[in-house]
Amino acid sequence: GNSVTQMEGPVTLSEEAFLTINCTYTATGYPSLFWYVQYPGEGLQLLLKATKADDKGSNKGFEATYRKETTSFHLEKGSVQVSDSAVYFCALSDNKGGSEKLVFGKGMKLTVNP
Amino acid sequence: NAGVTQTPKFRILKIGQSMTLQCTQDMNHNYMYWYRQDPGMGLKLIYYSVGAGITDKGEVPNGYNVSRSTTEDFPLRLELAAPSQTSVYFCASRLSPGQGGSEQFFGPGTRLTVL
């Protein structure tokens, strides 16, 4: 079945450091790809998405490009802030049974220190 | 819009007790989902619904039941709580593909402990 593998943490960075979180997927067809973020004590929020190959999603300084040839959707940010401390989940859409469900990676906890 | 709301926020159950986790959304979304999140793991789908009166099993449905009598509400029922059901439960909703949606919107979660 469809699956997502993402870099596991936890990861600690200093403010203004560069961030990359790797995400690769296995899927039949052409799923949409997502990055969700979970701030402490909260539910998940959509950070960005891409619906087809070569699409770039971006939001709040984060970017990710849908790479079909490498089945990847790596998340990057050039300069992280303390407020970026959160758990980041890579996910793909799976329409098995008409559910349009999300299949998640295990998540990566990021801590950014001042 | 309140979005997706869940109650309660926290609950401790004894083994064998039952309870219902409530989920309501005010965005007129047809699709609704229940996920559980175990420590260090991603979210696993328990049940989903594509509209009022229609529900179906996800990856980990054992020990749970759902109903969908209205578009807004999608309660999750635990009949005989077991320690393996200790988890954080998230409800989510989205527009159907025909309505142009792709993003799922999540509630704040219910943290359940079974002792």
Side-chain angles (χ1 to χ4, degrees), chain B residues 25-83:
Chain B
Q25 53 89 12
D26 63 358
M27 298 174 282
N28 202 31
H29 288 171
N30 283 334
Y31 284 48
M32 295 187 75
Y33 305 84
W34 275 106
Y35 294 90
R36 57 178 287 172
Q37 182 184 26
D38 298 323
M41 303 294 291
L43 280 70
K44 300 286 188 186
L45 182 66
I46 305 171
Y47 270 94
Y48 69 96
S49 168
V50 300
I54 306 169
T55 63
D56 209 343
K57 296 177 181 179
E59 299 173 73
V60 290
N62 291 345
Y64 307 95
N65 275 301
V66 293
S67 59
R68 184 95 182 270
S69 57
T70 67
T71 299
E72 294 78 19
D73 300 307
F74 189 42
L76 178 71
R77 178 88 178 158
L78 283 70
E79 290 294 350
L80 289 170

Side-chain angles (χ1 to χ4, degrees), chain A residues 8 32 34 36 38 41-46 49 51 87 89 93 95-107, chain B residues 31 33 35 37 40-45 48 50 56 58-59 88 90 94 97 100-109:
Chain A
E8 294 181 36
S32 294
F34 304 85
Y36 277 82
Q38 184 179 28
E42 299 183 11
L44 280 71
Q45 303 174 23
L46 179 67
K49 67 179 182 182
T51 57
V87 181
F89 293 93
S93 62
N95 197 29
K96 182 179 176 183
S99 66
E100 297 286 347
K101 69 177 184 180
L102 290 174
V103 175
F104 287 89
K106 292 185 177 181
Chain B
Y31 284 48
Y33 305 84
Y35 294 90
Q37 182 184 26
M41 303 294 291
L43 280 70
K44 300 286 188 186
L45 182 66
Y48 69 96
V50 300
D56 209 343
E59 299 173 73
V88 181
F90 289 101
R94 58 161 286 172
S102 62
E103 175 187 355
Q104 289 190 19
F105 294 82
F106 284 79

Side-chain angles (χ1 to χ4, degrees), chain A:
Chain A
N2 295 347
S3 65
V4 173
T5 302
Q6 69 173 101
M7 194 171 134
E8 294 181 36
V11 169
T12 301
L13 295 175
S14 298
E15 208 165 23
E16 299 184 2
F18 183 83
L19 170 70
T20 299
I21 306 176
N22 290 340
C23 172
T24 57
Y25 67 90
T26 302
T28 53
Y30 303 99
S32 294
L33 300 175
F34 304 85
W35 276 100
Y36 277 82
V37 60
Q38 184 179 28
Y39 298 105
E42 299 183 11
L44 280 71
Q45 303 174 23
L46 179 67
L47 181 59
L48 53 84
K49 67 179 182 182
T51 57
K52 61 183 187 297
D54 300 324
D55 267 3
K56 178 186 280 189
S58 61
N59 186 26
K60 297 182 181 180
F62 291 89
E63 292 184 340
T65 301
Y66 191 142
R67 301 282 187 204
K68 180 169 169 288
E69 62 277 13
T70 54
T71 61
S72 64
F73 193 54
H74 306 322
L75 183 69
E76 295 183 338
K77 186 173 185 182
S79 176
V80 295
Q81 306 300 311
V82 172
S83 57
D84 294 325
S85 297
V87 181
Y88 292 82
F89 293 93
C90 185
L92 61 79
S93 62
D94 184 337
N95 197 29
K96 182 179 176 183
S99 66
E100 297 286 347
K101 69 177 184 180
L102 290 174
V103 175
F104 287 89
K106 292 185 177 181
M108 197 207 78
K109 182 176 181 181
L110 171 68
T111 302
V112 180
N113 292 324

Side-chain angles (χ1 to χ4, degrees), chain B residues 6 8 21 34-38 43 46 64 76 78 82 84-91 107-114:
Chain B
Q6 292 182 237
L21 282 67
W34 275 106
Y35 294 90
R36 57 178 287 172
Q37 182 184 26
D38 298 323
L43 280 70
I46 305 171
Y64 307 95
L76 178 71
L78 283 70
S84 60
Q85 293 177 304
T86 295
S87 190
V88 181
Y89 292 84
F90 289 101
C91 179
T110 294
R111 184 175 295 275
L112 175 67
T113 302
V114 182

